[in-house]
Amino acid sequence: MESNVKSTPHSVKRWQLRVTDYEPQRVHKLPSETRFSTWTPLNNKSSNLQLFEERTNLVLHWFDLWTDRQRKQLLHSLLARSTKSQLKYCRDLLIETVPVTQVDFTAVLPRFLSLYVMSFLTPRDLCSAAQVSWHWRVLAEQDCLWAGRCIRRGWFLPYTPGEKEFGAWKNHYVSCVSTLDWLTPREAAEQYGTLNQQSVGLTEEEEERRKERGIRQMIRDKLQEEKRLSMRTRRAWGGNTKPEGARGGGTNSGLTFSSWPPSLVGSPSLSLSLDGGQPVASASAALSSFTYRPAPSHAASPVYRPPPALLLLLSSRIPAYELLLSGVRAGAIAVLYDHRGTLSALLTQAERAVSGQRVQRLGLLAPGGAEEIHLLHSSSLSENTLLTPDHRDFWERLSGWVAPTEEGGGIDIFSPLAASASGVALMQTLSSLTGLEVRAPAGLATGSFQNILSEWSDSSVCTGLSMQQPAAPALLYVCESALRAWCRQAQWMEEALGELRGRLGPQLQRVSLQARGRALGHFLWEEICLEETCASEELKEAVTEGLAALTRQEEQPKPLEFLALFLSRWSQEKEGEETRSSQKGLRLIPELAQTALDWRGAAARELHHSERVYLGRLGAVLKVYHEPLTAALNSNRAILSFADIHIILSPVAQILALNRVFQVDLGARLQQWGAEQCVGDVCVKLCSKLRVYTNYLNNYTTALCTIDKCRETKPSFRAFLKRADRTLATQMLSLQELLLCPVWRIHEYATLLQALSVHTPPGHPDHTHLSSALNSMLQFREFTQKLKRNSERDTLMEETQQMIQGCPNLREGSRQLVISQDAALLRSPDEQIPDSLRTYEHVSDVGLFLFTDALVLTRRNVQHTPFTLAHRSAHTFLASVALSSLAVREITHTRYVSHAFVLEGPCRSWVCATERGEEREHFLCVLRSAVKAALSGHQ
């Protein structure tokens, strides 16, 4: 045993010094004691290393003897004294020694990957995950995780969440689940049946359901595959990257439709603007904001663009306006406006088109006649309405963008206003109001829009202040080829489009063939004069003599040249004989020289020319239909009975006899035409016998019904119509279309008589007769229009009665259908909630049929036709309310509901909404007018 050592304040046991640097035999002989000093021999590396190892062992020995708290204090002190590089070394050492086994993946992964992981959780697991931390709650309540779950179950949010709104779809899912009706298996089996229930006759249905489930599973698999592929290429969640075209230097600050073809996006020939910032649903729907700008001639856009020289306002009610837009000249801008809009909207659209620059001339192409222009659906321009505040302000502001008359500015109206006294007065008033020259066609060409190609007159020419004939300005706006093609086919296009709108689809091919046949017949009879070309006897005689002379020639190396020379000499000899003979058998009126201001002569010649065409069509009725049917009846092989022939064709024979006399009298006056020649007495004679036309119009509906009845019941008549209709002899028209010619002729008579009357001075001897004939013809035209409106009203009421199932009798008294509108029927779950916070659910689709005395509500079911894009609506009667007891209230637009209104009846109310705001405004405007009229009628 070792001997005891005397204790000193710094004494230690020898066994404690085994691991220290105390070595008695190696202690350096220094002047002072160095046994327990902190001296370190820096210059002696071996001694330094030895001391470092000894002291490290000593510290580690002490570290083993310390408590956990003391150890942590030592580590804290050491780390606080360490440098940055030493701390990094400690970090790497700890990661290597203690690997990470549990970590919050939402803090490590990108946000979109965290959401992708959470998308595989069930709704219950997502709610549990939201309780982990605030960061997990933000991720677990994102709309991208809950919107799909709600939509798959048919739970749609009743409003569009705001940009910074949080957790809307999750709250909607929770509310729908909490209010869901749960059924026990027994209750579900009683109500819906069981899947393994065996029933007779349901095997095919079960097979279809199995196939349907297989198709749905295949669709879900494809969607999952597409989702996995899209996750590889999608950008980071919340990334604010922009496409290259949107980064700096972009000149297009308007809308950009990324789904459009590259050839359309950025095209200089098509600009699409929005009224009021409303989104464009389709190219159709945006008529009120369509502006056509012709493309520049060079591919590179020039630095300087001159101001537009011409501005053309084109109504959407013009048939086949696409053809006109394709022919707009480079110096003009065509603005296609919605016919259902307002004057302020049209003014705003025109202002946006000109971009604050001055235009040289202003053109207006809208439906109208010789007395007024149907500028808009609810706004007609006439002599009486021009000075109203709305029209006056519209034209004053619109004319401010047009150059003055001294610089060639003016207004061109594409309607035959110069053909009537009221139209001329409208032109003069408009010229005085705007201070510009107003020009319009004289209306000497008959047809739908062919007056545009006739002579033009301005307000100064009509009053006799100018002696110069104005140039036709129509060709300044549109290319001649496109304008002439459109003018020729506008009438047939209008009818074809009208029928196409009514039937849509199955009748497209038949209507197209009819339109082409009508155009072909018009070309053959008007341009080629097929009736004159088919001079069979004369042509047969000339060819026979020519061939006989050719056979008498022994040797003729060029027989075609010989025959051509012979026919030329034969024609000259025949013309000489006709010149020496009398003029008794002439059929055509010689064309007279027309001076620049001979408006009466031009109108009279047009009247005679159109009368000849009209008689040719009526004569075709008798030649092609009346004579064969009568001959078959006389030969005891009757196709139709005598009574049916009399009902259908006898009134045409009476009209033909009357108009032949009128043509002969008119031709006699034109043969001796002069400045003082009168044709008014001939027109008065025709107007005095209009009772023939009255009988025809009263019998017209009966004749059409007789044709349809005989065509269905008599196969021989059906075969006869198939052979006779739409042939060259009938000018490619059918019997029903030929019977419509007298109705068209009445409107042409009114137009031509207006032209004759306005260009006949009051002191002329023919003025009195022309005024009397014009008044009679205008009254008779109004009579025909009234008959047409009555027929259309009866047809519309009958179609509406058949359309609505279970509807009471609608054809009572003078009831008329005003308008119909498709809407959605809404219902609010709680009426106590304020209107700004109230939500609505879509109950069903309804149809609103507004009559002159009542409003009928129907339940509308949309049924789509398989393999086509067509669909039809089936209506079931729901309720009817008298207009005198109906109140209308609009619902303010909120984020929960839009375009909605309330119809309050005496017993209940209905909340309805339309798809677009324009539809609601138009329907409510018409409804309020009808309610006001009904209340005034009751009073």
Side-chain angles (χ1 to χ4, degrees):
M1 181 177 293
E2 296 182 1
S3 61
N4 295 332
V5 181
K6 185 178 179 180
S7 300
T8 61
H10 299 283
S11 62
V12 294
K13 302 292 184 179
R14 288 185 178 275
W15 60 269
Q16 294 177 349
L17 298 178
R18 292 177 182 175
V19 294
T20 65
D21 57 349
Y22 175 72
E23 294 288 342
Q25 66 276 12
R26 294 182 183 181
V27 174
H28 298 278
K29 302 299 181 178
L30 295 175
S32 59
E33 188 67 29
T34 60
R35 180 179 299 176
F36 297 106
S37 67
T38 59
W39 169 77
T40 301
L42 298 176
N43 297 329
N44 192 345
K45 293 184 178 180
S46 59
S47 299
N48 188 5
L49 180 61
Q50 182 180 359
L51 280 176
F52 176 74
E53 292 178 355
E54 292 176 354
R55 292 174 180 176
T56 302
N57 294 333
L58 180 61
V59 172
L60 292 178
H61 176 71
W62 289 342
F63 187 82
D64 294 337
L65 299 178
W66 289 339
T67 63
D68 181 69
R69 181 178 179 183
Q70 293 172 342
R71 292 180 180 182
K72 291 180 179 179
Q73 290 181 357
L74 176 63
L75 293 175
H76 182 268
S77 301
L78 292 176
L79 293 176
R81 294 173 179 268
S82 301
T83 62
K84 191 173 183 180
S85 62
Q86 295 166 359
L87 291 175
K88 290 182 179 179
Y89 173 77
C90 295
R91 181 196 61 186
D92 297 338
L93 185 61
L94 288 174
I95 291 175
E96 182 180 357
T97 306
V98 185
V100 178
T101 57
Q102 295 180 355
V103 67
D104 186 1
F105 69 93
T106 62
V108 178
L109 296 178
R111 186 176 183 181
F112 77 95
L113 288 180
S114 301
L115 290 173
Y116 178 71
V117 172
M118 287 188 174
S119 65
F120 293 97
L121 300 179
T122 62
R124 187 182 298 274
D125 295 337
L126 283 175
C127 294
S128 301
Q131 302 176 8
V132 174
S133 64
W134 68 267
H135 183 61
W136 279 53
R137 180 183 178 183
V138 171
L139 294 177
E141 293 186 355
Q142 290 295 320
D143 290 341
C144 61
L145 299 177
W146 294 94
R149 290 175 166 85
C150 293
I151 293 174
R152 282 196 298 270
R153 291 166 175 81
W155 302 337
F156 295 93
L157 201 63
Y159 67 96
T160 302
E163 184 178 356
K164 297 182 180 180
E165 190 171 355
F166 180 73
W169 282 97
K170 177 186 176 181
N171 297 333
H172 184 61
Y173 183 91
V174 173
S175 62
C176 291
V177 170
S178 61
T179 58
L180 196 63
D181 294 333
W182 294 94
L183 298 178
T184 63
R186 179 174 298 178
E187 294 175 348
E190 293 177 356
Q191 184 171 355
Y192 303 109
T194 58
L195 295 178
N196 57 357
Q197 181 179 358
Q198 299 294 333
S199 58
V200 181
L202 296 180
T203 55
E204 295 183 359
E205 183 178 356
E206 292 177 357
E207 182 67 21
E208 291 182 0
R209 289 181 180 178
R210 186 184 63 80
K211 292 181 179 179
E212 184 178 355
R213 287 195 298 269
I215 293 174
R216 290 180 178 177
Q217 182 63 31
M218 182 178 62
I219 294 175
R220 284 194 293 267
D221 295 341
K222 288 185 177 180
L223 290 177
Q224 291 295 335
E225 182 66 24
E226 292 179 358
K227 186 176 181 181
R228 285 192 293 270
L229 292 176
S230 63
M231 292 300 298
R232 301 175 184 173
T233 57
R234 63 182 296 183
R235 61 185 178 87
W237 186 280
N240 199 22
T241 57
K242 297 181 180 180
E244 297 181 0
R247 296 179 181 175
T251 59
N252 185 10
S253 61
L255 293 179
T256 301
F257 297 91
S258 59
S259 61
W260 284 11
S263 60
L264 292 182
V265 179
S267 175
S269 62
L270 184 64
S271 68
L272 199 63
S273 58
L274 298 179
D275 291 336
Q278 296 297 330
V280 178
S282 60
S284 106
L287 287 179
S288 60
S289 59
F290 182 88
T291 303
Y292 178 85
R293 298 178 182 272
S297 56
H298 302 284
S301 58
V303 178
Y304 171 74
R305 294 183 178 180
L310 302 170
L311 176 64
L312 177 61
L313 301 180
L314 186 64
S315 174
S316 61
R317 287 293 299 273
I318 296 297
Y321 53 78
E322 296 87 351
L323 182 59
L324 286 177
L325 290 176
S326 65
V328 175
R329 292 187 177 274
I333 293 180
V335 177
L336 179 64
Y337 67 92
D338 193 353
H339 185 74
R340 301 169 300 176
T342 59
L343 290 175
S344 59
L346 175 57
L347 192 64
T348 302
Q349 188 176 353
E351 182 179 4
R352 184 165 53 250
V354 299
S355 302
Q357 300 176 355
R358 176 174 292 184
V359 297
Q360 189 69 21
R361 298 193 68 86
L362 172 66
L364 176 61
L365 179 53
E371 300 175 357
E372 63 179 1
I373 303 171
H374 302 294
L375 188 60
L376 295 171
H377 176 74
S378 58
S379 178
S380 296
L381 180 62
S382 62
E383 182 183 3
N384 300 327
T385 61
L386 177 59
L387 298 180
T388 56
D390 295 338
H391 281 278
R392 187 184 185 93
D393 180 70
F394 172 79
W395 285 104
E396 286 178 351
R397 295 180 59 184
L398 191 61
S399 61
W401 305 327
V402 184
T405 307
E406 295 77 12
E407 299 178 9
I411 301 174
D412 302 321
I413 301 178
F414 292 64
S415 294
L417 296 179
S420 65
S422 58
V424 172
L426 173 61
M427 295 171 58
Q428 296 173 357
T429 308
L430 184 59
S431 178
S432 302
L433 178 64
T434 59
L436 300 173
E437 177 191 26
V438 180
R439 298 192 295 190
L444 302 183
T446 56
S448 182
F449 290 93
Q450 295 184 14
N451 50 71
I452 298 176
L453 299 175
S454 65
E455 294 83 359
W456 282 60
S457 174
D458 59 11
S459 53
S460 59
V461 171
C462 294
T463 55
L465 299 179
S466 176
M467 299 301 294
Q468 297 179 357
Q469 181 181 3
L475 302 180
L476 301 177
Y477 298 86
V478 187
C479 297
E480 182 177 2
S481 58
L483 183 62
R484 290 187 178 275
W486 178 79
C487 288
R488 293 193 197 101
Q489 307 297 333
Q491 181 177 0
W492 303 121
M493 287 180 180
E494 188 173 9
E495 293 182 4
L497 290 175
E499 188 171 356
L500 181 60
R501 295 187 192 101
R503 299 190 179 275
L504 289 180
Q507 304 295 331
L508 178 61
Q509 185 177 5
R510 183 177 63 85
V511 173
S512 176
L513 291 175
Q514 290 179 3
R516 282 183 285 176
R518 294 167 183 170
L520 178 61
H522 176 78
F523 175 77
L524 291 176
W525 286 87
E526 293 297 321
E527 303 297 334
I528 300 182
C529 299
L530 188 61
E531 184 180 4
E532 300 176 8
T533 305
C534 296
S536 57
E537 297 296 334
E538 187 177 0
L539 183 60
K540 187 186 303 182
E541 180 183 357
V543 174
T544 301
E545 293 184 4
L547 293 176
L550 181 62
T551 55
R552 289 194 294 268
Q553 299 292 329
E554 296 180 356
E555 294 182 0
Q556 184 56 249
K558 297 180 179 180
L560 294 180
E561 293 184 2
F562 174 79
L563 185 60
L565 293 175
F566 178 84
L567 292 177
S568 177
R569 290 194 302 268
W570 187 85
S571 177
Q572 294 176 2
E573 293 176 359
K574 295 292 292 183
E575 288 179 359
E577 295 178 0
E578 292 179 357
T579 302
R580 292 187 296 270
S581 62
S582 62
Q583 301 295 328
K584 183 177 180 180
L586 289 178
R587 297 175 56 190
L588 301 177
I589 302 298
E591 294 292 336
L592 301 177
Q594 178 182 358
T595 61
L597 297 178
D598 188 14
W599 299 101
R600 296 187 70 249
R605 282 185 290 272
E606 179 65 26
L607 178 61
H608 182 268
H609 171 72
S610 58
E611 186 70 18
R612 181 173 61 84
V613 176
Y614 173 57
L615 290 179
R617 293 179 177 177
L618 294 184
V621 175
L622 297 184
K623 182 178 181 181
V624 178
Y625 297 97
H626 188 270
E627 294 180 1
L629 290 176
T630 305
L633 180 64
N634 296 332
S635 62
N636 294 328
R637 295 182 179 179
I639 300 176
L640 290 182
S641 63
F642 177 78
D644 293 337
I645 296 176
H646 181 76
I647 293 174
I648 298 173
L649 301 175
S650 294
V652 179
Q654 299 174 7
I655 293 178
L656 183 61
L658 173 64
N659 283 82
R660 280 176 177 172
V661 176
F662 174 69
Q663 185 198 20
V664 172
D665 296 341
L666 188 61
R669 300 298 174 88
L670 288 178
Q671 286 182 359
Q672 301 176 358
W673 182 256
E676 300 297 326
Q677 184 62 270
C678 297
V679 294
D681 54 342
V682 179
C683 298
V684 169
K685 180 181 178 181
L686 175 66
C687 294
S688 63
K689 299 180 180 180
L690 288 179
R691 182 179 296 274
V692 177
Y693 279 87
T694 304
N695 297 333
Y696 177 82
L697 294 176
N698 292 332
N699 184 69
Y700 177 66
T701 305
T702 306
L704 292 181
C705 294
T706 304
I707 293 175
D708 296 336
K709 182 189 67 175
C710 296
R711 186 178 179 276
E712 293 295 331
T713 58
K714 299 180 179 180
S716 58
F717 182 64
R718 188 185 309 123
F720 173 77
L721 290 181
K722 189 175 182 179
R723 293 192 305 268
D725 283 348
R726 296 185 178 90
T727 58
L728 291 178
T730 61
Q731 303 183 23
M732 303 302 294
L733 301 176
S734 63
L735 176 59
Q736 292 85 348
E737 293 167 347
L738 290 173
L739 294 180
L740 190 58
C741 291
V743 181
W744 294 343
R745 189 56 181 169
I746 295 299
H747 294 270
E748 294 178 357
Y749 280 147
T751 301
L752 293 170
L753 287 178
Q754 284 176 343
L756 281 170
S757 178
V758 74
H759 295 294
T760 302
H764 197 278
D766 202 21
H767 184 270
T768 303
H769 293 292
L770 285 177
S771 300
S772 176
L774 178 60
N775 293 333
S776 301
M777 196 59 65
L778 290 177
Q779 294 178 2
F780 197 79
R781 186 182 66 178
E782 181 63 27
F783 169 71
T784 59
Q785 293 176 351
K786 182 179 179 181
L787 292 178
K788 181 180 179 181
R789 288 193 298 268
N790 293 339
S791 177
E792 292 177 350
R793 181 192 64 183
D794 296 340
T795 304
L796 186 59
M797 290 295 294
E798 184 178 355
E799 292 177 353
T800 306
Q801 183 75 52
Q802 297 176 357
M803 184 190 306
I804 305 175
Q805 300 178 4
C807 182
N809 186 20
L810 297 176
R811 304 180 64 178
E812 296 178 353
S814 59
R815 179 180 296 161
Q816 300 181 21
L817 179 62
V818 181
I819 190 177
S820 61
Q821 177 64 49
D822 295 337
L825 184 62
L826 308 180
R827 182 178 62 186
S828 177
D830 191 356
E831 299 293 339
Q832 303 299 328
I833 303 176
D835 293 341
S836 59
L837 301 176
R838 186 180 302 173
T839 60
Y840 295 88
E841 59 177 342
H842 187 176
V843 179
S844 63
D845 294 331
V846 295
L848 305 176
F849 293 86
L850 177 61
F851 297 91
T852 52
D853 59 344
L855 177 66
V856 175
L857 288 85
T858 63
R859 187 180 302 275
R860 181 169 58 92
N861 297 323
V862 179
Q863 301 176 357
H864 289 78
T865 305
F867 306 104
T868 62
L869 298 177
H871 67 274
R872 60 186 181 91
S873 299
H875 295 266
T876 305
F877 178 76
L878 190 63
S880 63
V881 184
L883 295 183
S884 57
S885 59
L886 180 65
V888 184
R889 177 171 60 87
E890 296 186 17
I891 297 180
T892 307
H893 178 77
T894 64
R895 64 176 182 174
Y896 302 104
V897 65
S898 58
H899 316 317
F901 54 93
V902 181
L903 301 175
E904 298 179 351
C907 300
R908 58 169 298 185
S909 61
W910 299 269
V911 180
C912 303
T914 59
E915 292 186 0
R916 298 187 301 168
E918 297 84 354
E919 295 179 352
R920 185 189 73 164
E921 298 299 330
H922 179 61
F923 177 74
L924 292 185
C925 179
V926 177
L927 178 59
R928 290 191 178 101
S929 302
V931 171
K932 184 177 180 181
L935 291 176
S936 61
H938 279 280
Q939 294 177 357

